[in-house]
């Protein structure tokens, strides 16, 4: 934990107004903070204030009157973010060891409860997200020999970069089977695709019309 705190950057403070430099100054060696973390870890709980954050809007470009030119940034409490970062490090080491992941200022608004997805800027979020997406990736990879496409010396059924996924099937039926299988895994994890943000590309070079419009069903929606 001390090493994590030592390399933490002094980002904007959360609702309590404290920065990482304050934690380093007030608790030299992080002894008191470690005792607090150990207790909450044993009791499997944390203070409600550690789960809250303040969201501010940062102007990106263009007219300040256009809301799409502003980016929301979530500012959490540093001691809570540090606790999540320590847990994230432990989870990642465990996940890699067990083979669970591939080695791959504005106006305040009312509080919004997070009921799905992961918390913005929380150190735990990338690890949790990777663990869930890994389930989807492995489900598609198990179908590669049957439904995938031939690339070099092996068949490929999925490409993944962060949270962007590309499914690859050797024909229309194969791709729909992959979508069905992925849909089952994501539904079990209480995740939902947004068909409006999905797209397909059909290539059939021997035919007179190599690119054709196709329609697929994703989690019961087309």
């Amino acid at each position: 934990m001390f090493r994590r705190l030592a390399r933490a950057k002094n980002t904007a403070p959360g609702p309590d107004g404290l920065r990482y430099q304050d934690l380093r100054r007030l608790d030299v060696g992080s002894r008191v903070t470690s005792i607090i973390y150990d207790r909450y870890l044993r009791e499997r709980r944390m203070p409600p204030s550690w789960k809250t954050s303040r969201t501010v809007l940062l102007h990106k470009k263009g007219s300040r009157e256009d809301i799409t030119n502003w980016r929301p940034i979530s500012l959490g409490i540093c001691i809570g973010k540090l606790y999540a970062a320590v847990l994230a490090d432990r989870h990642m080491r465990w996940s890699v060891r067990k083979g669970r992941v591939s080695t791959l200022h504005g106006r305040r608004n009312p509080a919004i409860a997070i009921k799905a997805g992961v918390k913005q800027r929380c150190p735990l979020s990338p690890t949790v997200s990777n663990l869930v997406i890994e389930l989807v990736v492995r489900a598609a990879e198990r179908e590669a020999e049957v439904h995938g496409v031939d690339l070099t010396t092996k068949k490929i059924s999925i490409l993944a970069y962060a949270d962007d996924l590309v499914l690859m099937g050797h024909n229309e039926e194969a791709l729909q089977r992959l979508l069905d299988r992925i849909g089952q895994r994501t539904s079990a994890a209480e995740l939902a695709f947004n068909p409006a943000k999905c797209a397909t590309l059909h290539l059939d070079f021997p035919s007179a019309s190599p690119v054709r419009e196709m329609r697929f069903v994703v989690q019961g929606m087309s």
Side-chain angles (χ1 to χ4, degrees), residues 96-112:
V96 173
R97 186 171 67 251
K98 296 293 185 178
R100 296 300 179 91
V101 294
S102 303
T103 46
L104 315 161
H105 297 288
R107 185 180 58 187
R108 296 189 182 186
N109 293 319
I112 301 174

Side-chain angles (χ1 to χ4, degrees), residues 122-138:
C122 175
L124 268 173
S125 295
T127 299
V128 173
S129 179
N130 285 341
L131 287 171
V132 175
I133 291 178
E134 188 73 16
L135 297 175
V136 178
V137 172
R138 295 192 179 191

Side-chain angles (χ1 to χ4, degrees), residues 1-10 19-25 27-30 33 37 78 82 85-86 89:
M1 189 207 71
F2 177 76
R3 290 192 295 271
R4 248 296 184 175
L5 178 59
R7 68 173 187 266
K9 297 180 179 180
N10 283 311
R19 301 173 183 267
Y20 289 116
Q21 65 183 16
D22 297 318
L23 297 180
R24 290 191 285 262
R25 176 175 55 84
D27 183 19
V28 179
S30 303
T33 307
Y37 286 177
C78 285
L82 180 62
V86 173
D89 288 342

Side-chain angles (χ1 to χ4, degrees), residues 57-71 105-106:
L57 295 177
L58 295 182
H59 182 250
K60 297 187 298 182
K61 60 181 180 180
S63 173
R64 290 179 175 268
E65 303 300 322
D66 187 350
I67 190 62
T68 60
N69 291 331
W70 294 79
R71 178 186 178 188
H105 297 288

Side-chain angles (χ1 to χ4, degrees), residues 2-222:
F2 177 76
R3 290 192 295 271
R4 248 296 184 175
L5 178 59
R7 68 173 187 266
K9 297 180 179 180
N10 283 311
T11 56
D16 63 350
L18 294 178
R19 301 173 183 267
Y20 289 116
Q21 65 183 16
D22 297 318
L23 297 180
R24 290 191 285 262
R25 176 175 55 84
L26 297 173
D27 183 19
V28 179
S30 303
R31 293 180 176 86
V32 176
T33 307
S34 296
I35 294 174
I36 295 173
Y37 286 177
D38 287 341
R39 175 178 177 179
Y40 284 131
L41 188 60
R42 288 196 306 270
E43 297 177 355
R44 298 184 178 182
R45 68 182 182 91
M46 67 174 65
S49 61
W50 291 11
K51 303 177 184 179
T52 62
S53 61
R54 180 167 60 95
T55 300
V56 299
L57 295 177
L58 295 182
H59 182 250
K60 297 187 298 182
K61 60 181 180 180
S63 173
R64 290 179 175 268
E65 303 300 322
D66 187 350
I67 190 62
T68 60
N69 291 331
W70 294 79
R71 178 186 178 188
I73 296 294
S74 177
L75 303 176
I77 293 177
C78 285
I79 191 170
K81 291 192 295 182
L82 180 62
Y83 181 71
V86 173
L87 291 181
D89 288 342
R90 293 185 180 183
H91 278 297
M92 181 56 66
R93 289 195 297 269
W94 177 87
S95 299
V96 173
R97 186 171 67 251
K98 296 293 185 178
R100 296 300 179 91
V101 294
S102 303
T103 46
L104 315 161
H105 297 288
R107 185 180 58 187
R108 296 189 182 186
N109 293 319
I112 301 174
I114 300 177
K115 299 181 179 179
V118 293
K119 188 177 179 181
Q120 184 190 40
R121 295 176 66 86
C122 175
L124 268 173
S125 295
T127 299
V128 173
S129 179
N130 285 341
L131 287 171
V132 175
I133 291 178
E134 188 73 16
L135 297 175
V136 178
V137 172
R138 295 192 179 191
E141 287 180 336
R142 285 193 289 268
E143 305 292 327
E145 287 299 321
V146 178
H147 304 303
V149 299
D150 289 306
L151 288 180
T152 61
T153 59
K154 63 182 297 186
K155 288 190 174 183
I156 303 295
S157 59
I158 188 170
L159 301 175
Y161 181 78
D163 59 349
D164 293 323
L165 303 176
V166 178
L167 293 178
M168 305 176 68
H170 59 81
N171 58 30
E172 181 180 357
E173 292 76 16
L175 185 54
Q176 184 60 64
R177 291 290 184 88
L178 284 171
L179 286 169
D180 293 341
R181 181 57 57 88
I182 295 304
Q184 294 172 359
R185 299 297 292 177
T186 52
S187 296
E190 299 185 357
L191 297 177
F193 288 107
N194 184 356
K197 293 185 178 181
C198 299
T200 62
L201 177 62
H202 177 94
L203 298 177
D204 185 10
F205 293 109
S207 69
S209 301
V211 179
R212 292 191 289 127
E213 182 177 352
M214 309 295 295
R215 186 175 294 273
F216 298 89
V217 176
V218 182
Q219 291 179 317
M221 298 178 291
S222 61

